[in-house]
Amino acid sequence: MSADVSYGEFLRARREDVMGRIEAACQCAGREPGEVQAIAVSKTVGPEEVLDAWRAGWRAFGENRPQELVRKTEALGGLPEMAGVRFDMIGNLQKNKINQVIGRAALIHSVSSEHLAEAVSTRCEARGVVADVLLEVNVSGEASKSGFSPDELRAAVDSVVALPGISVQGLMTMAPAGDADAARRTFSGLRELACELRGRTGLALQTLSCGMSDDFEIAVEEGSTLVRLGRCVFDQGYALS
Ligand SMILES: *Cc1c(COP(=O)(O)O)cnc(C)c1O
């Protein structure tokens, strides 16, 4: 597929469409388009499609499995053409995989418990680095979703932000699928929680990672600063509504 010129053209046209929608959602909400970053979630495609996406203008990518993060960074990280490429870790992280992610992910979106925060911090300290992370919050309360509950986070935030091996940049959440009103409540809940925690911790917590293909415009209207887009970037069968 990647050898096909028309896939590159699709990626480019789609990126323009998506960026235009982000800009329009910013305007709707009285925000500056520069406040919102978009990463291309490349978990369903191979390194060649990531290169195509780079050529279409995408500069930051998200992976949800450590093995894929390793594979893509090793295949692409050394290409002169892709100098400055960024990969984020956005998916569930097991403790025994943390070492694969440190040093490869620019930002870990998915620190979903105090235990995991401690484990990431310990491994970073051992390597003399500090990892930028987001704390994943289960705002909607769905049993299937991972993350701190808002109350768990309120209770844990002071000790988590004091961990020496991580630097907490903000919060991340996922909205219930297929329900625009629930998505909006989830995103506004994340924004309000961040606001509350800023007051308590004195941290900037400037990054709010929320919004995916089906709900990124709602997320931008509700304050997202980082949308994670997979299908609407790479999948020619995905129709933007
Ligand atoms: C797959 C994935 C996305 C992208 O989802 P799309 O609906 O394909 O845009 C975003 N965030 C996480 C954590 C994911 O696993």
Side-chain angles (χ1 to χ4, degrees):
M1 192 187 252
S2 66
D4 185 348
V5 172
S6 73
Y7 188 58
E9 281 166 3
F10 159 76
L11 289 173
R12 202 172 282 280
R14 190 45 84 75
R15 183 169 183 279
E16 229 166 84
D17 189 351
V18 165
M19 291 307 181
R21 284 163 186 257
I22 291 173
E23 208 174 305
C26 282
Q27 259 151 20
C28 237
R31 305 182 64 199
E32 293 294 327
E35 292 171 32
V36 182
Q37 222 178 1
I39 66 170
V41 176
S42 45
K43 65 189 182 190
T44 61
V45 299
E48 293 203 3
E49 285 81 6
V50 176
L51 178 56
D52 290 338
W54 172 273
R55 289 175 175 157
W58 293 98
R59 291 295 173 265
F61 299 88
E63 287 290 336
N64 70 336
R65 289 167 48 221
Q67 308 87 285
E68 272 300 299
L69 182 75
V70 172
R71 174 175 171 238
K72 303 255 177 49
T73 51
E74 286 184 353
L76 302 169
L79 293 185
E81 182 183 350
M82 287 185 73
V85 64
R86 158 179 162 174
F87 280 94
D88 286 3
M89 176 66 192
I90 62 170
N92 183 41
L93 184 55
Q94 289 171 316
K95 290 199 186 115
N96 62 351
K97 302 286 172 59
I98 293 170
N99 276 327
Q100 296 179 33
V101 169
I102 294 171
R104 288 196 173 92
L107 179 67
I108 304 172
H109 294 229
S110 42
V111 172
S112 52
S113 70
E114 190 170 2
H115 273 321
L116 184 59
E118 288 165 356
V120 173
S121 178
T122 302
R123 284 161 184 73
C124 285
E125 270 195 285
R127 291 164 62 158
V129 298
V130 176
D132 284 337
V133 307
L134 305 178
L135 303 178
E136 181 174 354
V137 192
N138 183 357
V139 177
S140 65
E142 286 173 287
S144 60
K145 292 220 168 10
S146 48
F148 291 85
S149 74
D151 277 339
E152 278 168 357
L153 185 54
R154 289 183 181 99
V157 69
D158 290 324
S159 34
V160 169
V161 301
L163 293 167
I166 60 174
S167 173
V168 178
Q169 301 293 313
L171 307 180
M172 179 270 219
T173 198
M174 292 174 75
D179 182 339
D181 291 335
R184 191 176 292 282
R185 283 194 300 277
T186 301
F187 301 142
S188 62
L190 189 75
R191 182 190 67 228
E192 284 161 13
L193 184 61
C195 193
E196 175 191 332
L197 297 177
R198 279 180 199 121
R200 286 218 358 228
T201 61
L203 290 183
L205 300 177
Q206 78 255 358
T207 302
L208 296 181
S209 168
C210 60
M212 316 196 325
S213 294
D214 287 339
D215 53 26
F216 69 91
E217 290 156 284
I218 300 172
V220 169
E221 287 167 13
E222 296 301 332
S224 172
T225 69
L226 205 176
V227 294
R228 309 179 306 266
L229 307 176
R231 288 168 299 152
C232 75
V233 172
F234 289 105
D235 183 353
Q236 287 176 283
Y238 183 88
L240 280 166
S241 54

